[in-house]
Amino acid sequence: MSVNFLISQAKNIQIVIDENAAEIEALDQNIGDGDHIFNVQRGLKLVVELEDDIKNLPLQKGLNMIAMKVLSGIGGSSGALFGTFFMSMAKTPDLDKDIDFKKACEMVITGINAMKERGKADIGEKTMMDVLIPVSEKLNELKSSNTDMKEGLSEITKIAEDRMLATKDMLATKGRASFLGERAKGHIDPGARSSQLIIDTICKSLINK
Ligand code: ADP
Ligand code: MG
């Protein structure tokens, strides 16, 4: 992982999020306030625009600049949560050394743990954490197993999709959707869908490398 890797992933993700924008917007209109797609698109744009400023920086500095940009530039729960993700990834030890698969897993796990602490949402509360926590658990398993990396990434895309779909029948107990009670049932959580698309895009780009 390098700053250039992060920027190129953000560009890939932009394309996929734009392709699915109408669906994500509708999901947040159903159980939120409709701005989730705008927050995600703005966040990605801000990260991509940082390219010239950060492309030659060491990973830790680049991650911190991305975190600051996301925290100050995106509103909503997602701004705070994704900002926290990048900020904590930057705190993973030994980022100045070569980042292998194991270290990359550690970084993502650290970032997701911090999001969990920040938002205080666990599995089953109908948020993006329903996708992210199981992905983090799988990464934790993969980093110390002999599973082929591509096979592991393909399992992760499956977990993310299953968990995103599973938010449909949940009651929401965190975030705006929690005010809806039973009416939140029958709708997939918008943050779960955007997170799943992001994970799917990154995993597939690594699988096809
Ligand atoms: P807001 O809810 O402030 O309008 P967004 O629309 O950008 O922010 O994001 C909504 C998404 O944020 C939800 O679909 C859900 O996945 C996620 N979310 C809301 N509250 C929390 C929380 N406490 N922890 C984790 N994720 C949350
Ligand atoms: Mg919203």
Side-chain angles (χ1 to χ4, degrees):
M1 198 186 296
S2 64
V3 171
N4 282 324
F5 172 82
L6 295 174
I7 299 283
S8 80
Q9 289 298 330
K11 289 178 182 171
N12 291 339
I13 294 166
Q14 250 182 337
I15 296 169
V16 175
I17 290 291
D18 287 350
E19 279 168 1
N20 293 278
E23 181 201 334
I24 297 168
E25 181 168 22
L27 292 176
D28 199 35
Q29 282 166 347
N30 289 335
I31 60 166
D33 55 358
D35 65 346
H36 183 62
I37 183 61
F38 176 78
N39 291 335
V40 174
Q41 284 176 321
R42 179 166 166 80
L44 287 164
K45 181 166 178 280
L46 290 173
V47 172
V48 170
E49 282 172 359
L50 270 180
E51 179 167 13
D52 286 339
D53 294 337
I54 66 173
K55 64 181 177 201
N56 297 317
L57 292 181
L59 184 55
Q60 190 167 34
K61 275 216 166 110
L63 282 167
N64 273 322
M65 293 212 17
I66 291 173
M68 290 306 158
K69 206 31 138 194
V70 167
L71 282 172
S72 62
I74 327 181
S77 317
S78 12
L81 291 164
F82 287 126
T84 300
F85 176 75
F86 289 113
M87 180 99 71
S88 326
M89 280 220 293
K91 292 191 185 126
T92 318
D94 298 326
L95 290 190
D96 50 341
K97 310 211 174 92
D98 190 35
I99 310 288
D100 57 8
F101 180 65
K102 192 173 171 197
K103 176 59 75 179
C105 289
E106 244 175 67
M107 292 172 69
V108 176
I109 294 166
T110 305
I112 294 175
N113 282 341
M115 290 173 84
K116 187 176 167 193
E117 234 165 71
R118 170 92 201 226
K120 309 233 167 340
D122 212 326
I123 291 174
E125 301 207 75
K126 199 178 182 98
T127 71
M128 58 177 80
M129 302 316 293
D130 280 301
V131 170
L132 297 175
I133 294 171
V135 164
S136 170
E137 285 169 351
K138 186 71 193 180
L139 286 173
N140 197 33
E141 187 190 309
L142 288 176
K143 83 177 163 68
S144 40
S145 82
N146 294 322
T147 316
D148 170 66
M149 188 181 97
K150 292 190 175 183
E151 201 176 295
L153 290 169
S154 148
E155 284 173 40
I156 286 181
T157 63
K158 184 82 182 75
I159 289 171
E161 189 181 2
D162 289 348
R163 298 307 185 106
M164 174 274 292
L165 292 172
T167 65
K168 184 167 179 178
D169 295 323
M170 290 178 190
L171 271 176
T173 42
K174 288 283 178 338
R176 287 180 201 282
S178 61
F179 304 125
L180 296 177
E182 287 287 333
R183 277 180 295 145
K185 280 196 179 168
H187 303 285
I188 288 168
D189 176 65
R193 176 64 168 142
S194 60
S195 304
Q196 179 259 327
L197 284 167
I198 292 170
I199 289 160
D200 195 74
T201 308
I202 298 171
C203 289
K204 284 185 178 151
S205 97
L206 292 171
I207 291 168
N208 293 326
K209 233 183 189 168

